[in-house]
Amino acid sequence: MIDQSLFDRVERQAWFYRYPRGWPFLLFLLASITTAVSVMAIEHADRQTRAVELDRNLTEISSALQRRVTENIAVLRAASALFATQDSVSEEQFREFAADLQHEGNLYGSLGMGWAPLVRADRLAYLELDVVNQGRSSFFVTPRPDFGDPYAVPIVYLEPGGAQNRRALGYNMYAEPTRRSAMDQAMKTGKPVASGKLRLIQDLDRPNVAGFLIYMPVVVIKGQSRIVKGFVYAPFRADDFIRSAGELFRADRLEVKIYDESVASENLLAQRPVDGLIGRTAERRIDVGNHSWVVQVSDKKTGMLSAISRITLFFGAVASLMVMAIGRLITRRAAEDRLMLERLSREASIRNSLTRELNHRVKNTLANVLSIAALTRRGSRDIDDFTDRLTSRIRALSATHDLLSQTDWTNAALRDVVVSELAPYMEGHEEFVTIDGPEIKLAPNDAMSLGLALHELATNAAKYGALSVEDGRVSVTWQRTGADLASIHWRESGGPTVTEPSKRGFGRDLIEKIVAHELRGKVELQFLPGGVECRLNVPVRVLREFALRSGGQ
């Protein structure tokens, strides 16, 4: 017997079985959420780490840029001090001096060092004549000062003297607004000043290359007066300058951009691009030769997620799938166990039902046998007669039982019931008995009642009626008289003349009272001179409890 509490627990967990795919998906969802939360926490921590690292790198990069500017300004200060103490400097002296300070001229990211005297506009021709007299016959200042311009600042010397730098000789820097603004500020403050974004004369054929200049005024003190003789300056390509500053820091995964004054595309001086996705960006304003730059640093990532997050996401996805697969196996096994429990429950229920049905049928059969035995005893002459009658009637019950057993007690064919009861009288003499009617199925209890009735009619016919003589005939026919009713007609002929018995026997009581009661219908039994006739109605496939009762109606 299966423990009922087991079924109760299964019923309480019915939701687990009603949604067999929901439980693994829920486990997958929980594992995925855990993975996602872990990745988010890792990314948050990574962003904070990157922010701190980015700020540190920004400080380092800004310091490197300012260091390069300071180094160049130191060289310009030294040249300014030299020019301030001498009335004039020859080209040879300037070349040697520049070589000593800047070696090949590209020290600290500059293109070299130059000298540009501050000349009144009306004295420009005298300057050109002096330079020509020094052996530079092609020297000519351009552009010429506009009307009203007080000064011209032509480039006289520029070392090293390569082809690109020679292109700038004679250029009047004061004629260009950006350069003029820086020189005016330098004259006013007496300090080195960096210009804004501009294009160098050396790069006229390269329009997309930005540059800038740092001017150091050469000031001569005469009494209470400060006289600016001109400017020692250094030209810079912005990209070369940022590469030179990059030697001082190692932030290879950072994209660096330098803007003049403010962050705008038109103010972009230089950049160091890095492949990858733009992450966090930080910027800082720095002072470069009394001029403002904005340094912008962007953290470039190789992917949307950090390496640790990608690893966590990968293993989290694998773990989620494994959890879902394990959950699926568990739910499948649980579903199989549930099906097994249900099958065992159904089998137990069937066994219980069969046991109750068997008990019921055994009790009914025993009650029938007791009733038949009691009634048979009343009409028997002696013990032998009682034994014969009781045995034949029990055999009639047994025959009907056999028919029902063949169909698992579901139904019995009416024809089979008739043939079973008349079989002893038909062996070798089938012509004495006529059986005819449609195929009709009877419920077990109705088949047993009909079998008893036919047994009594056949026994009476064999003893006293048509089956007791050679010329006697018995006809059993039936037909449907309704959707759930069949009418059966028993008729004897060719036998001895029949007279109605004066005493009622067990067989007559069984047919007219007991069988009629069990079949829920009226039985017409007639003792006609030509032979006994009996009409009775049998329900079609209506299950009723079978029981024989000794009492009359």
Side-chain angles (χ1 to χ4, degrees):
M1 196 70 179
I2 299 178
D3 187 3
Q4 183 62 35
S5 63
L6 179 61
F7 294 106
D8 294 339
R9 290 196 298 272
V10 170
E11 289 302 319
R12 287 195 297 270
Q13 299 172 358
W15 66 270
F16 181 85
Y17 302 99
R18 282 198 295 268
Y19 308 102
R21 296 184 179 179
W23 175 244
F25 179 75
L26 179 60
L27 291 177
F28 174 77
L29 186 62
L30 291 175
S32 299
I33 291 174
T34 302
T35 301
V37 171
S38 300
V39 170
M40 291 172 61
I42 292 172
E43 284 297 296
H44 179 70
D46 183 68
R47 283 194 298 270
Q48 290 183 326
T49 303
R50 284 177 175 270
V52 173
E53 186 69 15
L54 186 65
D55 185 70
R56 185 187 66 80
N57 287 325
L58 179 58
T59 301
E60 182 180 356
I61 293 170
S62 299
S63 299
L65 293 171
Q66 289 179 314
R67 178 179 171 182
R68 280 290 184 249
V69 171
T70 302
E71 290 169 343
N72 280 280
I73 289 176
V75 173
L76 295 179
R77 285 185 184 277
S80 174
L82 175 63
F83 275 80
T85 60
Q86 297 183 2
D87 293 335
S88 64
V89 178
S90 66
E91 183 176 2
E92 185 65 26
Q93 288 177 318
F94 184 81
R95 182 178 295 113
E96 292 178 359
F97 180 77
D100 290 339
L101 292 178
Q102 289 196 323
H103 300 287
E104 297 179 359
N106 57 358
L107 185 64
Y108 310 136
S110 71
L111 295 180
M113 183 173 63
W115 159 249
L118 179 66
V119 182
R120 289 206 323 255
D122 58 352
R123 301 290 299 175
L124 185 58
Y126 294 103
L127 174 66
E128 291 174 331
L129 182 59
D130 289 341
V131 175
V132 169
N133 292 334
Q134 293 175 14
R136 296 168 59 186
S137 58
S138 61
F139 183 81
F140 181 76
V141 177
T142 183
R144 308 304 288 184
D146 290 335
F147 180 77
D149 285 349
Y151 303 108
V153 183
I155 301 173
V156 176
Y157 303 137
L158 183 57
E159 293 296 331
Q164 288 184 338
N165 281 346
R166 285 198 300 269
R167 185 185 302 175
L169 294 176
Y171 177 70
N172 178 18
M173 294 187 289
Y174 203 74
E176 195 273 320
T178 303
R179 292 174 172 86
R180 178 188 296 183
S181 176
M183 287 186 285
D184 287 342
Q185 185 178 358
M187 287 189 291
K188 181 179 180 180
T189 60
K191 297 179 180 179
V193 175
S195 71
K197 177 183 177 182
L198 49 78
R199 188 165 61 171
L200 300 176
I201 303 301
Q202 293 91 329
D203 295 327
L204 291 178
D205 57 345
R206 301 168 66 186
N208 295 325
V209 177
F212 66 95
L213 305 168
I214 297 180
Y215 292 100
M216 180 66 202
V218 178
V219 180
V220 177
I221 306 296
K222 291 185 178 181
Q224 299 296 324
S225 301
R226 295 173 60 255
I227 300 174
V228 177
K229 294 175 57 176
F231 301 91
V232 179
Y233 79 99
F236 297 86
R237 288 193 183 101
D239 289 337
D240 293 343
F241 180 75
I242 194 174
R243 277 194 293 270
S244 175
E247 298 173 358
L248 303 178
F249 59 86
R250 293 292 180 268
D252 296 334
R253 297 305 308 168
L254 295 178
E255 182 174 89
V256 181
K257 293 182 179 180
I258 300 176
Y259 293 91
D260 181 31
E261 295 286 352
S262 61
V263 178
S265 58
E266 64 273 12
N267 294 336
L268 180 62
L269 266 173
Q271 64 177 338
R272 190 187 70 172
V274 176
D275 294 334
L277 302 175
I278 295 179
R280 187 181 181 88
T281 299
E283 58 185 45
R284 180 173 298 175
R285 187 175 296 275
I286 63 174
D287 181 76
V288 178
N290 295 298
H291 188 77
S292 179
W293 280 1
V294 177
V295 181
Q296 188 180 79
V297 178
S298 298
D299 183 11
K300 287 297 188 77
K301 301 188 295 183
T302 57
M304 293 296 294
L305 299 176
S306 63
I308 297 178
S309 295
R310 289 196 294 270
I311 294 173
T312 303
L313 186 61
F314 173 77
F315 285 104
V318 172
S320 299
L321 292 175
M322 291 180 61
V323 168
M324 183 173 68
I326 294 172
R328 178 62 178 159
L329 291 175
I330 293 174
T331 53
R332 183 180 297 175
R333 181 60 182 271
E336 292 174 355
D337 292 344
R338 176 179 171 81
L339 291 176
M340 178 63 71
L341 290 175
E342 291 177 348
R343 185 171 67 82
L344 293 176
S345 176
R346 287 194 298 269
E347 291 178 356
S349 177
I350 291 172
R351 283 197 296 271
N352 293 336
S353 298
L354 289 176
T355 301
R356 290 194 299 269
E357 182 67 16
L358 179 61
N359 290 336
H360 175 70
R361 293 188 183 279
V362 169
K363 289 180 180 178
N364 282 348
T365 301
L366 292 175
N368 291 338
V369 171
L370 290 175
S371 178
I372 290 171
L375 293 174
T376 301
R377 181 181 59 80
R378 294 177 188 175
S380 300
R381 295 185 301 276
D382 52 36
I383 188 64
D384 293 333
D385 182 48
F386 168 76
T387 302
D388 292 340
R389 291 185 178 187
L390 180 61
T391 301
S392 64
R393 286 165 179 164
I394 291 177
R395 284 176 178 172
L397 279 176
S398 176
T400 307
H401 269 261
D402 290 341
L403 289 176
L404 291 171
S405 297
Q406 295 174 7
T407 60
D408 294 330
W409 281 79
T410 56
N411 55 59
L414 193 154
R415 179 181 296 276
D416 293 341
V417 175
V418 175
V419 171
S420 175
E421 297 300 335
L422 293 178
Y425 312 105
M426 293 173 60
E427 296 179 357
H429 304 283
E430 285 79 1
E431 69 274 9
F432 296 156
V433 178
T434 301
I435 299 174
D436 185 42
E439 183 71 17
I440 295 177
K441 300 293 184 181
L442 300 179
N445 291 339
D446 297 334
M448 293 180 66
S449 298
L450 178 62
L452 285 174
L454 293 176
H455 172 74
E456 293 301 326
L457 289 172
T459 301
N460 184 71
K463 287 183 177 181
Y464 312 109
L467 295 180
S468 64
V469 297
E470 293 185 358
D471 296 331
R473 302 288 186 271
V474 173
S475 173
V476 182
T477 60
W478 63 89
Q479 62 182 359
R480 278 185 178 272
T481 58
D484 56 355
L485 195 65
S487 177
I488 302 174
H489 184 204
W490 171 285
R491 188 171 66 85
E492 300 179 20
S493 62
T497 301
V498 177
T499 58
E500 185 172 353
S502 58
K503 181 181 177 182
R504 296 180 65 89
F506 169 72
R508 187 172 182 178
D509 286 340
L510 186 145
I511 295 172
E512 291 185 339
K513 294 183 179 180
I514 298 176
V515 172
H517 179 268
E518 293 299 328
L519 297 179
R520 304 293 193 270
K522 184 178 180 181
V523 177
E524 296 181 1
L525 181 61
Q526 295 178 317
F527 295 92
L528 301 177
V532 175
E533 290 191 23
C534 181
R535 292 182 182 275
L536 53 90
N537 294 325
V538 181
V540 178
R541 297 184 63 80
V542 177
L543 298 177
R544 290 191 177 94
E545 182 182 356
F546 176 81
L548 288 173
R549 297 175 178 84
S550 59
Q553 289 183 322

